[in-house]
């Protein structure tokens, strides 16, 4: 349920209303936008007398939300959420580029790649320490020592970092990580979502391998209902019948999500196609479709990468893509941090 508050309300009246709603056992999400003030009610609203609320002086309108996702719903929060990562803003008219290797392999590798992508325009460094691999015999990541190397790269370059969590038991290791990534395979690991939500840290939530947009937003809801409000959604391709590409990039998800939710949306063109030569066209298509950013896998030696070499691009190819993105950004009314 949302309660739209009249523009000329008195603060005291609003405070009283919020207090009264909370007494009904419902959580309140207050959204003060440039054009409207909205109270989003989360939880079991069946006991809230809608006619009574409608009759109040300060209330302009009351509506029930049909969609099962509430906190993530655009109706709850008409303005875009801006997720601020150490001054780098995701959402609104901002455009950010996250880049780095699929997995952290050595100190030299992560620091070399970090410096190169930063120079080319990336604002956040990615790198997996815990890797979700299809085969138990494949490289599983450097785990805790990989996280330490990523933190070292953060220190050397000043770049905030994003890395994937796979288990609730690892949460303590992520305290200095700027954005916790929930990977496609864990999008519906509800216990993990809840625990990560309790950390209040920004989260990069990837779309599941074969999940609908509504299921994806329900996963965001799991995180948000525990406390973390700073969620960045990441479209990374979904499984279809097409074997030429690793996945199929769902470009229509981008403009659709912008209608349904206030959360920022970025695209991962690397996992979406699995092919390094498609990273550039898919990046540009994502900019055109209105994405708030990109996450691109970059490796200094893709041929010898321990994970996802076929979809990784070299730093100089990454720099070329950023140059082309810069040509497009004014057309979609977005700005990249310089
Ligand atoms: C990744 O980003 O490293 C990753 C494993 O991606 P996904 O969860 O989208 O497969
Ligand atoms: Mn990868």
């Amino acid at each position: 349920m949302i309660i739209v508050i009249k523009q000329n309300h008195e603060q005291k009246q609003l405070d009283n209303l919020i207090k009264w709603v909370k007494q009904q056992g419902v959580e309140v999400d207050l959204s003060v936008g440039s054009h409207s003030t909205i109270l989003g009610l989360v939880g079991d609203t069946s006991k809230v007398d809608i006619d009574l609320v409608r009759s109040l002086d300060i209330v302009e309108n009351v509506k029930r939300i049909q969609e099962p996702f509430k906190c993530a719903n655009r109706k709850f929060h008409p303005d875009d959420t801006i997720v601020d990562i150490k001054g780098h803003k995701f959402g609104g008219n901002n455009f950010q580029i996250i880049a780095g290797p699929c997995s952290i392999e050595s100190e030299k590798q992560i620091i070399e790649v970090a410096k190169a992508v930063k120079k080319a325009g990336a604002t956040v460094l990615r790198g997996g320490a815990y890797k979700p691999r299809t085969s138990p015999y494949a490289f599983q990541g450097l785990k805790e020592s990989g996280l330490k190397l990523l933190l070292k790269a953060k220190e050397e370059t000043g770049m905030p970092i994003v890395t994937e969590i796979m288990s609730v038991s690892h949460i303590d290791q992520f305290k200095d990580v700027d954005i916790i990534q929930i990977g496609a395979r864990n999008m519906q690991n509800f216990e993990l979502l809840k625990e990560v939500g309790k950390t209040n840290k920004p989260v990069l939530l990837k779309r599941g391998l074969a999940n609908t947009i509504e299921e994806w937003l329900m996963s965001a809801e799991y995180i948000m209902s525990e406390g973390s409000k700073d969620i960045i959604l990441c479209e990374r391709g979904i499984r279809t019948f097409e074997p030429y590409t690793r996945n199929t990039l769902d470009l229509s998800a981008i403009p659709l999500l912008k209608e349904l939710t206030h959360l920022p949306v970025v695209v991962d063109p690397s996992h979406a196609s699995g092919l390094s030569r498609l990273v550039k066209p898919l990046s540009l298509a994502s900019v055109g479709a209105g994405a708030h950013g990109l996450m691109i896998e970059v490796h200094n030696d893709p041929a010898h990468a321990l994970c996802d070499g076929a979809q990784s691009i070299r730093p100089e190819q990454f720099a070329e893509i950023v140059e082309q993105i810069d040509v497009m950004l004014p057309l979609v009314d977005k700005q990249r941090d310089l």
Side-chain angles (χ1 to χ4, degrees):
M1 186 188 288
I2 61 165
I3 306 175
V4 185
I5 305 296
K6 283 183 186 157
Q7 283 292 57
N8 56 353
H9 67 273
E10 276 177 32
Q11 189 58 38
K12 183 93 186 97
Q13 290 176 301
L14 181 60
D15 293 344
N16 285 341
L17 176 58
I18 293 174
K19 196 167 150 204
W20 177 80
V21 172
K22 285 187 174 165
Q23 281 165 355
Q24 320 290 305
V26 177
E27 284 300 315
V28 180
D29 181 276
L30 173 65
S31 163
V32 184
S34 37
H35 303 298
S36 57
T37 298
I38 289 175
L39 295 186
L41 275 50
V42 192
D44 178 8
T45 55
S46 59
K47 291 189 199 78
V48 179
D49 184 341
I50 194 163
D51 294 323
L52 178 71
V53 176
R54 201 170 269 136
S55 71
L56 297 174
D57 247 12
I58 63 161
V59 173
E60 179 149 321
N61 200 0
V62 187
K63 287 182 246 174
R64 290 223 178 257
I65 302 273
Q66 301 305 327
E67 295 85 7
F69 50 93
K70 314 289 178 190
C71 299
N73 204 307
R74 174 71 85 181
K75 290 172 189 156
F76 255 49
H77 195 291
D79 292 341
D80 277 6
T81 280
I82 307 289
V83 179
D84 191 322
I85 309 293
K86 299 258 156 68
H88 302 297
K89 296 185 172 66
F90 287 78
N93 295 330
N94 307 285
F95 192 88
Q96 302 296 339
I97 307 176
I98 305 169
C102 178
S103 51
I104 303 143
E105 297 172 6
S106 67
E107 180 171 337
K108 184 172 180 293
Q109 174 242 20
I110 190 66
I111 289 181
E112 238 177 74
V113 176
K115 285 183 175 163
V117 295
K118 182 180 180 185
K119 186 159 172 250
T123 44
V124 178
L125 175 66
R126 65 149 286 146
Y130 290 96
K131 294 304 305 175
R133 304 303 300 277
T134 304
S135 165
Y137 311 117
F139 174 60
Q140 305 284 306
L142 294 182
K143 307 192 170 101
E144 205 168 353
S145 58
L147 277 179
K148 290 203 176 108
L149 298 179
L150 188 63
L151 287 166
K152 202 158 191 183
K154 169 179 169 172
E155 219 172 89
E156 287 237 350
T157 60
M159 293 176 91
I161 52 173
V162 56
T163 190
E164 179 169 355
I165 191 163
M166 299 236 297
S167 165
V168 169
S169 66
H170 298 154
I171 279 192
D172 289 347
Q173 294 174 29
F174 283 67
K175 64 177 188 314
D176 296 322
V177 168
D178 302 282
I179 310 175
I180 300 183
Q181 178 172 326
I182 303 277
R185 289 152 193 83
N186 275 311
M187 190 205 84
Q188 286 192 314
N189 181 339
F190 300 118
E191 287 308 310
L192 183 62
L193 298 179
K194 284 192 274 187
E195 290 306 313
V196 167
K198 286 180 193 154
T199 65
N200 272 320
K201 273 187 170 289
V203 176
L204 182 86
L205 178 64
K206 299 193 92 176
R207 184 177 184 174
L209 304 176
N211 283 109
T212 64
I213 289 172
E214 186 169 295
E215 286 165 343
W216 189 10
L217 290 173
M218 289 312 290
S219 293
E221 195 74 19
Y222 260 96
I223 301 168
M224 295 177 93
S225 64
E226 294 292 340
S228 291
K229 300 290 182 226
D230 289 341
I231 318 269
I232 302 164
L233 299 166
C234 179
E235 163 61 42
R236 45 78 75 206
I238 47 176
R239 183 163 287 189
T240 67
F241 48 78
E242 178 50 64
Y244 270 115
T245 48
R246 185 175 179 183
N247 293 291
T248 297
L249 179 58
D250 182 8
L251 277 177
S252 46
I254 305 164
L256 205 56
L257 280 167
K258 290 169 89 177
E259 290 173 19
L260 295 170
T261 182
H262 48 89
L263 298 171
V265 184
V266 303
V267 173
D268 169 351
S270 310
H271 291 89
S273 67
L275 299 167
S276 59
R277 67 181 189 280
L278 295 197
V279 170
K280 181 169 166 180
L282 295 188
S283 296
L284 299 181
S286 303
V287 176
H292 294 112
L294 289 164
M295 176 155 92
I296 301 180
E297 282 189 346
V298 180
H299 198 287
N300 47 358
D301 183 10
H304 296 102
L306 296 182
C307 182
D308 286 350
Q311 67 194 35
S312 299
I313 57 172
R314 293 189 311 276
E316 58 275 21
Q317 294 172 302
F318 174 71
E320 245 182 73
I321 295 177
V322 178
E323 268 178 34
Q324 300 228 339
I325 289 171
D326 283 346
V327 176
M328 284 185 74
L329 286 180
L331 302 175
V332 288
D333 194 24
K334 291 215 168 46
Q335 274 184 326
R336 187 168 72 74
D337 295 355
L338 295 173

